[in-house]
Structure formats: structure tokens, C-alpha cells
Amino acid sequence: MTSTSGNIVQDNQNGLKYQLKSFEKIPIKFWENPDDGALHIARYIALCIRQKQQDNELIVLGLATGSSPIKIYNELVRMHREEGLSFTNVVTFNLDEYYPMQPDSNQSYVKFMNEFLFNHIDIKKENIHIPNGNLPMEFVENFCQEYEKKIDFYGGIDIQILGIGRTGHIGFNEPGSWLTSRTRLVKLDHLTRIDAVKDFGKEENVPYRAITMGINTIIKARQVFIMAWGTHKASIVQQTIEGEITEMIPATYLQNHPNVKFYLDAAASSELTRIKTPWLAGICNWDDKLIAKAVIWLSLKLKKPLLKLTDEDYINNGLSELIAEYISAYTLNIKIFNKLQHTITGWPGGKPNADDTNRPERANPTKKRVIIFSPHPDDDVISMGGTFLRLVEQGHEVHVAYQVSGNIAVHDTDAWRYAEFMGSYTKAMGLDHPELAKIVGKVTKFIDKKQANDTDIKELRMLKGIIRRQEARSGAIYCGLSDKNIHFLDMPFYETGGVRKNKLTDEDYALITKLLNEVKPHQVYAAGDLADPHGTHRVCLDAIFEAFDRSKDQKWWNDCYLWLYRGAWHEWPIDEIEMAVPISPDELMRKRKAIFMHQSQKDHPVFPGEDTREFWQRAEDRNRATANMYNTLGLAEYEAMEAFVRWKF
Ligand code: F6R
């Protein structure tokens, strides 16, 4: 007997609840690549602008800031420059602004909008509206009312662009916001403030408040595009799209909007039922990957080792289709068990003289040339320190390449101490270095006077970069490398002195391409971690992909495996892991020591995210969790494991 309420089917016999196929309450559009999604929105906006121009009408756009819409603005600017798209009939209202905030501050949304859009198009200044974060408190309420009136005056918003915060906020409507809320001064959620640290440098610099359009203001827009890109949004996206409407996740109010579309990339949609457990959502197109995912899910859900799963377990959990296909649980269990077993290897560079049919890496050549790309100077040891140590010990020619200087992540106090040290040491040694003394003086004076919004001067950036460089060098030497195999690329896209980075250019690609073609690697390791809060990992990976693409005609290219590891925040889902390298308790301790070499990132890193654990703790917890998961599935019990996925071009 089953009963249906909304999308939930209640099976009265066994008390199980299943969700039916269509339980997404906001229409979604998937994009392999977020850039393509952004281009699609930009082109749609351009079309609407042109249509209104033909009718001699204004179009009112509701605009967002943050990382999500940047590509939309880039494309609109390009269309203005190259395709003559005019914005003279466009009126804009921005969602929000921090309060208090000077419009010329680096973090102001006024500056953001000018930099990414308004300075580059022909919009009329009087048509631009952004909440004023610079008003005395007693004028704020009145300003907010006027903002609403202005939106009404222009006939309401035609197209509203939204990002989503990890709290589920749209605009800065944080959990607890009412459906009827209008433009107003609000308090920012703690998580939102933590996420904003990347823009403000320190948590204490992040304002506690903001002025935001209300939910009611947003929901009245005739058309809404909401976007989420990246793994860090996956959980809130799932709750927003599949959960009940609740003021605790204000984005869920959009479920009732008649003309809304959620644009998502693969990473942001990964928690949706139709992606994560599609067998619960309806009919599946079963392939080997999906079967493995389902069986592993079942085993973890029931906390039963793979080899103990029964026909009944499959049938009672929506997987009877699989049993029909495989005749019995037994055959299926063995198949998946073996698949997982074959991912485990203590020989990440391949086991010499062994049959490698079922091993993740080739046995030959027995001594491989390996490059470990580390986006920041500590990602190598944090993410794959155990594997790094093994590769060196097993006699491979290992190189490590630090892609960016990481200079923005050094505390001023640390840099000050090093600068003072340099000055005192040269003095103590009786060396007279007037030039050095001048630079030390300049750096320490700058730090003493530095304000929250100041960008570091070149000399300080250099000093901070060197601090990180020496730490990375110590870590790599500790792992057994010599200087000739340690490469610092200092990719130029990173060197802005601020959190906002430049675009990748040929110079960045050339640095990586050159190294690849010099070393001619058999194995490359790179950070495939798309959840990095700065996005730097993502850019670094894109640069590697491009460099591989540019090296296609090289002989080494055909014989090179690219392995992706993940950074400090997330691990690969167990069903996606293609190589799991066990780490013994002793190796784990050595990995910890290698991480300790990064003193500037210890205790309280500049960009800690919301996780209060230190990097070595995150790394160990994560590596232990992976080992535990293998063990729960019925495989051997290891202390810890590092995991990799092979990227196939
Ligand atoms: C920005 C705004 C916020 C952001 C959201 C996502 O004007 O109102 O709601 O859209 O915090 O930020 P990103 O895109 O940086 O992840």
C-alpha cells in the first residue's frame, strides 16, 4: 500500500519513504562549465536589451556582485566592445552593499560594479542604483524606502541576477528573513562574514551589517536567474531546490516564483538526488560507474560491508533493478569489492615487475619522472604528503612545482618579524647595507601604518613570498627533494597584491608548458580541488589543462598520467577514487612534520575558512576518514589514505 503526498510516496508496509522523480521545486539548467552558463545568461540579457531598444523601452536589471556573476559581466562588456551592444536603455539596481562602506573601498560593491561592468559600457550614470553604504545611520531607513520607490517608479525589475550564499541567502537576506521583507539594513550571518574574509583580509575587517533588497523586492522581479558554481555550494543548492520553503533558507522562497531558473555546474549540483542517488529519483541509465556508486551508497547507508549485502538489502532500498540485472547480490558485491580493492596501492608510481593489469599505475618505466603541481606553497604536503614521501622513497625522479607565491596569506606581523630580523642580523654581523636598511625601514613603516584596505607594497609582497618560498623549500627538502627539483613558478595572474586575481595569460601557460616539456613527466599530480575558497586552485588547474593541450605533439604527452588530488577541504567521493595510497602511522607523522614546515600557515592562517582545525588536522582527519570508509566497506583497515582520480584527456 502506498500513499502520495506531494512528491513523497509513503510505503505503509515497511514505513519507507521514497521521493518520486520530479521533486525539484525550482527548474534547473546544468552546465558542464560555469563559463558556458554565464555566457548563456549574458546572451539572454543582451537579447532582451536589444528587444526593448527596438520598442524604445527601458529595461530594468537587478544585479548581484560576488564571484558568481563575474563571467556574465565579462561577456556583456565583450558584447559592448565587439558587437556594439548598447546599454543606454538599461537601468540597474544592485542587490546590496556592506554597511558601513566607503564607495571607493576595495571591497565596496560600487567599486566591484564599476570595475567589472559600468566603467566599460555606455550605461547612463543616472540609471545606476546601488545601496549607499556610506550614509549616517539615521538616513538609512529613508534611503531604503526611496530605493523601493525608485524600483517601482521604473516599473519593477525585468531580470534579476542572483548568486546564493552558503547560508541560503539571496542578496543579503540571511536566515530568518521574511517573505514580505523589503530593502533594509540587516545583520550578516557569521558564515557570510567568514566567507567574506577572503575579500577583507581579516575577520575583524568584515562589516557586521549590510543594506539589501528584501525578499519581497527580489521575488517581484519578472524573471530570475540564480547561479551556483562549485562544490562549496552543493549542499545549500540541494536544500534550496529540494527542501521545504523555510525562512531559514531564504532562497527557498524562489520555489514559488513563476519564472525562475537555477543555473548550476556539475560540482554545485552534486548533492541533488537526481545526481547523487538517481535510483531514488526514477529510472536510471545504469553504467559501471553508476552501479559502483549505488552499491557503495547502499553499503555505507546500511553500515554493512559490501560482501555482506543481500538481495533483500538491494530490493528494500530502491535497487531491485540491479538484482534483476545481476541475478544475485553476490555477483554484484564481488564485482564492486574487486573494483575498490584494485584502487589500493602502496606503489603510487607503479609497482616494478608486477602484473599491472588491475593496478592504477603502470609498472613501466620502473623509475618515473613525476611532477607534483602545488597551487599554493603548502598544498603538496597537505594534500598528498604521504604519496610524495613514497614516490621519492621508491626512487622516482620527483619534481615539485609551486604555482603561485601565496604571498597574500602571510600575516603582517610575521613579515614584520622577518624584516626586523634581517636588519638586526646584518647589524649584529657588523655589515653595513644601507640599501637593505632602507627597504627594511620602508616595509616595517608600511606595516605599522597599514589600514584595512591597503594593498601591500611591492617590497612587502616580495618578503611575504620569500617567507612562503622558504617554507615550501623546507617541506620539499624534508620529503627528500634537492633544490634542482624544486620549482617556483610565481604565476603572474596571482600577483595583484589582493584577493582578486588577474586572468590567466600566455605568460602563465608558458611557465607550465616549459616545465612539462623540460621534465617530460610520466606522471603529473595536480590539485583538482574545485572547492578552494579563493578559486586559485581552479585557475591553477585550468592553466595545467591548457599547458597539456599545448604539449599534445610532444612525445611524453602520450605516456603521461595526470592524477588529481583534492585540497584541504574535500575528498573525492569514494566511488570516484581511482588510486588510494595507504599511509602508515609513521608516514602520517612524517607528513605532519612536512606540513609543520609551513609555519606562517600554522595556528591561525590568514585564510582559515570556517574550519577551525589547523591544516595538518584537516589533512589527517580527512585521510583517516577515507581509510575508515574503505574499512566500513569491508576492505583492509589502514591508518589513513590519500586518494586520487585520473584525468583522461
Ligand atoms: C552579492 C549578493 C550575495 C552573493 C552570494 C554568493 O551581491 O547579494 O547574495 O550573490 O553571497 O556570492 P558568490 O557569488 O561570491 O559565491
Side-chain angles (χ1 to χ4, degrees):
M1 245 313 254
T2 56
S3 60
T4 311
S5 139
N7 291 316
I8 304 289
V9 177
Q10 172 89 42
D11 184 324
N12 293 336
Q13 247 175 9
N14 61 14
L16 280 176
K17 278 184 177 177
Y18 310 104
Q19 283 182 299
L20 281 182
K21 192 169 180 191
S22 171
F23 43 97
E24 285 156 13
K25 299 162 187 166
I26 298 180
I28 53 186
K29 206 161 167 66
F30 288 113
W31 297 91
E32 263 309 305
N33 178 348
D35 293 2
D36 295 336
L39 291 198
H40 195 260
I41 298 178
R43 283 179 196 150
Y44 178 81
I45 292 174
L47 199 73
C48 295
I49 293 176
R50 286 191 169 118
Q51 248 164 18
K52 291 271 189 183
Q53 270 159 10
Q54 277 177 7
D55 299 339
N56 240 342
E57 282 178 17
L58 292 175
I59 178 165
V60 184
L61 303 179
L63 299 180
T65 54
S67 57
S68 307
I70 288 179
K71 290 276 161 53
I72 299 182
Y73 301 146
N74 289 345
E75 178 63 6
L76 288 174
V77 170
R78 190 200 64 75
M79 283 191 272
H80 171 69
R81 284 199 181 131
E82 296 174 15
E83 296 171 10
L85 175 67
S86 170
F87 290 78
T88 46
N89 67 326
V90 176
V91 176
T92 63
F93 286 90
N94 261 79
L95 279 167
D96 42 22
E97 175 59 289
Y98 291 107
Y99 184 87
M101 179 56 65
Q102 301 283 338
D104 57 351
S105 288
N106 281 339
Q107 297 81 7
S108 94
Y109 285 168
V110 172
K111 188 155 185 188
F112 178 101
M113 291 308 301
N114 287 339
E115 263 180 31
F116 284 104
L117 186 65
F118 299 144
N119 283 350
H120 315 286
I121 57 175
D122 61 347
I123 189 165
K124 294 178 185 151
K125 289 273 166 289
E126 64 272 24
N127 285 355
I128 297 172
H129 305 90
I130 302 180
N132 186 347
N134 195 25
L135 285 175
M137 184 65 92
E138 60 270 30
F139 297 125
V140 170
E141 201 180 324
N142 190 43
F143 173 86
C144 294
Q145 284 169 10
E146 289 303 314
Y147 205 70
E148 290 281 340
K149 277 190 201 151
K150 271 190 205 149
I151 297 176
D152 290 343
F153 170 81
Y154 283 105
I157 292 168
D158 292 305
I159 302 174
Q160 176 66 55
I161 303 294
L162 295 175
I164 180 169
R166 289 192 304 147
T167 57
H169 72 212
I170 46 178
F172 276 135
N173 292 285
E174 297 288 14
S177 296
W178 292 3
L179 180 58
T180 50
S181 58
R182 311 193 68 174
T183 303
R184 69 207 186 286
L185 186 68
V186 293
K187 195 169 162 292
L188 294 176
D189 192 275
H190 178 65
L191 183 55
T192 300
R193 290 189 65 247
I194 295 293
D195 281 348
V197 170
K198 64 183 181 344
D199 295 326
F200 285 86
K202 283 191 202 138
E203 192 184 328
E204 52 267 37
N205 296 342
V206 182
Y208 284 88
R209 283 173 293 206
I211 297 176
T212 181
M213 280 186 195
I215 297 290
N216 178 266
T217 331
I218 294 171
I219 225 110
K220 279 192 310 197
R222 282 181 270 284
Q223 183 165 19
V224 177
F225 289 101
I226 175 163
M227 294 160 282
W229 319 121
T231 325
H232 59 305
K233 297 285 173 75
S235 165
I236 197 68
V237 162
Q238 184 275 333
Q239 296 173 65
T240 300
I241 294 176
E242 296 184 355
E244 298 300 317
I245 296 179
T246 161
E247 79 271 14
M248 294 319 287
I249 302 178
T252 55
Y253 290 128
L254 293 172
Q255 290 180 11
N256 280 338
H257 194 283
N259 194 5
V260 56
K261 196 149 261 174
F262 217 132
Y263 277 49
L264 299 168
D265 65 355
S269 50
S270 58
E271 287 293 318
L272 291 178
T273 308
R274 77 152 104 166
I275 307 287
K276 195 175 181 192
T277 48
W279 47 91
L280 297 180
I283 295 156
C284 294
N285 294 324
W286 291 106
D287 60 12
D288 279 355
K289 270 190 172 173
L290 193 58
I291 292 171
K293 188 173 169 136
V295 177
I296 289 169
W297 167 83
L298 182 65
S299 167
L300 292 175
K301 180 175 178 225
L302 302 181
K303 296 195 178 65
K304 244 183 173 188
L306 287 167
L307 296 177
K308 288 190 178 176
L309 293 173
T310 63
D311 288 8
E312 232 185 345
D313 293 330
Y314 281 90
I315 291 161
N316 286 343
N317 288 282
L319 290 171
S320 43
E321 260 184 276
L322 283 184
I323 293 301
E325 175 84 15
Y326 280 82
I327 322 272
S328 77
Y330 181 76
T331 356
L332 191 49
N333 295 346
I334 298 245
K335 182 181 153 102
I336 305 305
F337 181 87
N338 284 341
K339 180 182 146 63
L340 276 185
Q341 180 70 49
H342 295 151
T343 62
I344 304 174
T345 180
W347 299 85
K351 187 169 184 184
N353 311 316
D355 174 7
D356 57 9
T357 324
N358 288 317
R359 291 179 173 276
E361 251 300 344
R362 303 146 294 169
N364 289 315
T366 50
K367 298 289 176 226
K368 294 191 172 61
R369 289 185 298 275
V370 179
I371 305 179
I372 299 171
F373 280 103
S374 179
H376 299 100
D378 51 357
D379 291 310
D380 54 343
V381 286
I382 290 174
S383 304
M384 53 168 291
T387 307
F388 190 165
L389 286 159
R390 277 203 180 204
L391 286 164
V392 176
E393 274 164 19
Q394 289 170 0
H396 302 287
E397 179 190 319
V398 180
H399 295 253
V400 63
Y402 299 100
Q403 293 184 265
V404 304
S405 70
N407 56 13
I408 62 164
V410 176
H411 287 288
D412 290 331
T413 43
D414 285 343
W416 186 91
R417 184 153 30 92
Y418 277 99
E420 285 284 302
F421 171 85
M422 250 186 320
S424 309
Y425 188 61
T426 35
K427 215 160 158 194
M429 298 305 288
L431 300 170
D432 184 22
H433 269 301
E435 284 304 312
L436 179 69
K438 215 163 107 192
I439 293 173
V440 168
K442 189 172 173 188
V443 165
T444 48
K445 212 178 280 161
F446 173 81
I447 294 176
D448 289 341
K449 295 210 173 118
K450 187 172 163 182
Q451 298 294 308
N453 288 325
D454 292 345
T455 305
D456 285 349
I457 52 172
K458 200 175 89 239
E459 293 83 351
L460 180 56
R461 291 211 302 268
M462 180 70 89
L463 174 59
K464 288 182 173 180
I466 290 173
I467 293 174
R468 295 216 63 186
R469 194 181 261 232
Q470 292 309 329
E471 291 171 346
R473 202 172 146 238
S474 309
I477 290 173
Y478 179 84
C479 290
L481 293 199
S482 60
D483 272 323
K484 70 177 183 2
N485 288 15
I486 305 175
H487 311 268
F488 293 97
L489 302 184
D490 288 336
M491 289 172 70
F493 85 90
Y494 183 88
E495 297 303 318
T496 58
V499 177
R500 258 181 236 157
K501 306 297 186 303
N502 292 325
K503 283 190 196 150
L504 286 169
T505 65
D506 264 343
E507 247 185 291
D508 299 292
Y509 300 134
L511 285 165
I512 297 179
T513 314
K514 183 164 172 276
L515 183 68
L516 285 171
N517 290 321
E518 272 167 17
V519 175
K520 302 181 178 39
H522 302 100
Q523 269 197 332
V524 166
Y525 290 85
D529 180 0
L530 307 178
D532 170 52
H534 317 187
T536 298
H537 283 208
R538 176 67 176 257
V539 180
C540 285
L541 184 62
D542 285 347
I544 294 172
F545 285 157
E546 177 64 25
F548 264 81
D549 206 47
R550 292 177 179 204
S551 310
K552 261 189 197 143
D553 54 344
Q554 302 290 317
K555 218 169 126 215
W556 62 265
W557 193 93
N558 282 319
D559 191 29
C560 179
Y561 280 17
L562 172 56
W563 291 102
L564 300 181
Y565 60 83
R566 285 224 157 149
W569 284 270
H570 287 277
E571 187 51 281
W572 295 105
I574 196 116
D575 53 284
E576 288 179 29
I577 294 172
E578 289 174 277
M579 176 160 75
V581 181
I583 314 177
S584 69
D586 175 53
E587 281 169 322
L588 198 61
M589 202 49 76
R590 288 165 60 212
K591 169 173 174 165
R592 185 189 297 182
K593 283 188 186 149
I595 299 174
F596 279 177
M597 298 293 172
H598 295 268
Q599 282 180 354
S600 69
Q601 306 304 301
K602 256 194 74 54
D603 304 330
H604 63 120
V606 177
F607 297 108
E610 83 268 26
D611 192 335
T612 53
R613 292 170 302 167
E614 286 195 33
F615 286 116
W616 65 273
Q617 291 169 314
R618 297 183 206 185
E620 287 182 18
D621 289 352
R622 197 185 71 176
N623 295 159
R624 285 205 174 93
T626 309
N628 268 336
M629 206 157 333
Y630 268 78
N631 189 227
T632 310
L633 292 165
L635 290 113
E637 184 177 356
Y638 293 100
E639 174 73 10
M641 275 177 163
E642 287 172 347
F644 304 87
V645 164
R646 198 180 141 208
W647 184 264
K648 289 157 200 110
F649 287 97

